[in-house]
């Protein structure tokens, strides 16, 4: 089995396992240079040393090592995060080969670079959300846009979940909806009466034969992911907002507000459709002001002082 054929088998297996197109593209783009330089070589001919030299080459300015991509990079080579992505992809590929073809992985003794320290999530600022909301128009399109903005902010759903939301999976009476999101997983979203009111207003004026909740005003067809990005871009310009405005920024704001209001990490993970580990890594990072506010809100001394028993 040569490297090129094994790479094709790897991508096919990932697709069969339900990998999203973006994930497949990620694997293809990161592994293609390594594979292209060795396409016809047998798997067993790839050594641990060769893999190490390739990784070191990614970090160098000239990538002078044998087998590394033959093109210059920015001064100092690729960033640590980019190199980490390459190493992660190589581990995944060679682990597949080890299982599929019963060979020893040349990556077996190569450690994965440590994960970078998590930065604070890139959430939309509360004031920017208000400006965005107030920039919607007083017409049917504005009613749709307000419902869409609040649905994003009140549920923490992903973009794919919002554009795929079907009318028959929306239950305003129980303040919940079922969406299919990352990994083709069906999950339940929960929202408040404010979202119920705005979505109800939208459904009352919505004119479309589509089974999707959010549709184009021009065609009545379901809004696409690109269409939502364009909608948000227009609102951002109209509102004069300079900060971050994208679908994921609403999800981040939902999670941060939930944590700041004292919500626990396990239920947040359920609301987001994440593992507890991922939810903790991303949403237990607060700046100094947020930590002061949390400390004041959840004061362990308050009960002791208010008991009146301390002199």
């Amino acid at each position: 089995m040569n490297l090129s054929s094994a790479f094709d088998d790897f991508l096919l297996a990932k697709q069969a396992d339900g990998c999203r197109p973006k994930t497949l593209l990620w694997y293809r783009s990161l592994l293609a240079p390594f594979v292209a330089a060795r396409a016809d070589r047998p798997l067993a001919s790839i050594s641990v040393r060769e893999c190490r030299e390739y990784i070191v080459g990614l970090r160098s300015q000239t990538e002078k090592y044998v087998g590394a991509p033959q093109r210059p990079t920015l001064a100092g080579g690729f960033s640590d995060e980019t190199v980490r992505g390459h190493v992660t992809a190589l581990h995944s590929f060679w682990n597949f080969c080890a299982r599929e073809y019963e060979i020893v992985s040349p990556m077996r003794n190569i450690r994965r670079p440590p994960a970078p320290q998590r930065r604070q999530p890139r959430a939309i600022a509360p004031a920017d959300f208000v400006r965005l909301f107030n920039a919607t128009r007083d017409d049917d399109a504005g009613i749709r846009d307000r419902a869409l903005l609040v649905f994003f902010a009140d549920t923490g759903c992903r973009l794919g979940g919002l554009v795929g939301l079907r009318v028959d999976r929306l239950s305003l009476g129980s303040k919940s909806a079922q969406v299919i999101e990352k990994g083709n997983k069906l999950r339940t979203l929960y929202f408040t009466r404010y979202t119920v009111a705005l979505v109800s207003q939208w459904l009352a004026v919505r004119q479309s034969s589509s089974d999707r909740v959010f549709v184009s005003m021009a065609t009545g067809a379901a809004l696409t992911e690109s269409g939502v990005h364009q909608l948000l871009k227009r609102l951002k310009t109209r509102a004069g907002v300079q900060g971050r405005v994208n679908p994921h920024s609403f999800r981040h704001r939902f999670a941060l507000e939930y944590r700041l209001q004292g919500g626990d990490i396990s239920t947040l993970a359920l609301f987001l459709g994440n593992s507890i580990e991922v939810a903790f890594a991303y949403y237990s990072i607060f700046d100094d002001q947020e930590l002061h506010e949390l400390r004041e809100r959840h004061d362990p001394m308050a009960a002791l002082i208010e008991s009146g028993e301390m002199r």
Side-chain angles (χ1 to χ4, degrees):
M1 174 65 66
N2 65 31
L3 202 63
S4 179
S5 297
F7 185 44
D8 289 341
D9 288 349
F10 169 75
L11 293 176
L12 179 63
K14 286 294 183 183
Q15 189 173 10
D17 289 343
C19 271
R20 302 176 69 199
K22 288 182 180 178
T23 305
L24 289 172
L25 180 62
W26 182 83
Y27 279 118
R28 187 185 295 276
S29 63
L30 291 183
L31 293 170
F34 182 88
V35 173
R38 305 162 180 79
D40 297 326
R41 288 178 52 186
L43 293 177
S45 72
I46 308 298
S47 67
V48 176
R49 181 182 179 83
E50 188 170 354
C51 290
R52 285 184 174 134
E53 288 178 339
Y54 178 82
I55 294 166
V56 172
L58 294 173
R59 298 183 187 280
S60 71
Q61 181 175 350
T62 60
E63 297 181 336
K64 61 185 178 181
Y65 289 98
V66 175
Q70 298 302 306
R71 57 184 176 83
T73 65
L74 297 175
F78 291 115
S79 69
D80 288 343
E81 183 64 17
T82 299
V83 173
R84 185 174 186 273
H86 280 267
V87 175
T88 298
L90 284 168
H91 270 291
S92 183
F93 171 68
W94 283 108
N95 286 342
F96 165 81
C97 291
R99 296 190 304 270
E100 192 80 359
Y101 312 116
E102 298 182 349
I103 64 169
V104 176
S105 167
M107 293 290 292
R108 67 191 182 280
N109 292 325
I110 298 177
R111 292 190 303 176
R112 299 172 188 263
Q117 184 176 3
R118 295 296 186 189
R119 293 173 294 180
Q120 190 164 1
R122 298 173 178 179
I124 184 172
D128 285 345
F129 178 83
V130 172
R131 282 194 285 270
L132 212 67
F133 186 89
N134 290 339
T136 57
R137 299 191 187 282
D138 294 325
D139 55 14
D140 290 352
I143 293 174
R144 179 203 60 184
D145 294 349
R146 288 190 289 277
L148 184 148
L149 289 173
V150 170
F151 193 87
F152 260 142
D154 199 21
T155 65
C157 73
R158 297 178 176 91
L159 175 57
L162 181 133
V163 298
L165 175 61
R166 291 180 0 200
V167 175
D168 63 355
R169 287 183 173 165
L170 178 66
S171 177
L172 296 179
S174 63
K175 292 182 285 191
S176 65
Q178 288 188 315
V179 295
I180 296 176
E181 290 188 340
K182 191 175 182 179
N184 290 322
K185 295 179 180 178
L186 180 70
R187 73 183 188 93
T188 302
L189 304 175
Y190 303 93
F191 43 83
T192 63
R193 65 172 182 260
Y194 193 59
T195 295
V196 171
L198 290 178
V199 172
S200 295
Q201 290 176 17
W202 162 236
L203 293 178
V205 300
R206 172 183 172 276
Q207 296 183 10
S208 172
S209 59
S210 172
D211 64 348
R212 305 301 171 86
V213 172
F214 294 104
V215 298
S216 165
M217 302 304 299
T219 66
L223 273 180
T224 63
E225 293 190 3
S226 175
V228 173
H229 278 288
Q230 291 301 314
L231 183 157
L232 294 177
K233 184 177 179 180
R234 288 194 299 270
L235 284 177
K236 180 178 181 179
T237 300
R238 193 185 305 158
V241 169
Q242 300 299 316
R244 183 174 298 274
V245 175
N246 60 52
H248 230 58
S249 69
F250 299 101
R251 178 173 167 85
H252 288 320
R253 174 51 52 193
F254 167 85
L256 284 176
E257 287 298 332
Y258 185 80
R259 293 287 280 140
L260 287 170
Q261 297 302 321
D264 65 275
I265 202 70
S266 58
T267 52
L268 175 61
L270 291 174
F271 290 148
L272 294 176
N274 284 139
S275 67
I276 291 177
E277 291 77 15
V278 169
F280 181 82
Y282 279 95
Y283 302 112
S284 291
I285 303 173
F286 306 103
D287 61 30
D288 287 343
Q289 181 60 36
E290 289 167 342
L291 286 173
H292 277 298
E293 291 176 3
L294 283 170
R295 183 64 180 78
E296 290 293 328
R297 192 176 298 130
H298 305 285
D299 185 0
M301 288 295 295
L304 297 174
I305 295 172
E306 292 171 2
S307 69
E309 297 178 4
M310 293 178 63
R311 63 183 179 88

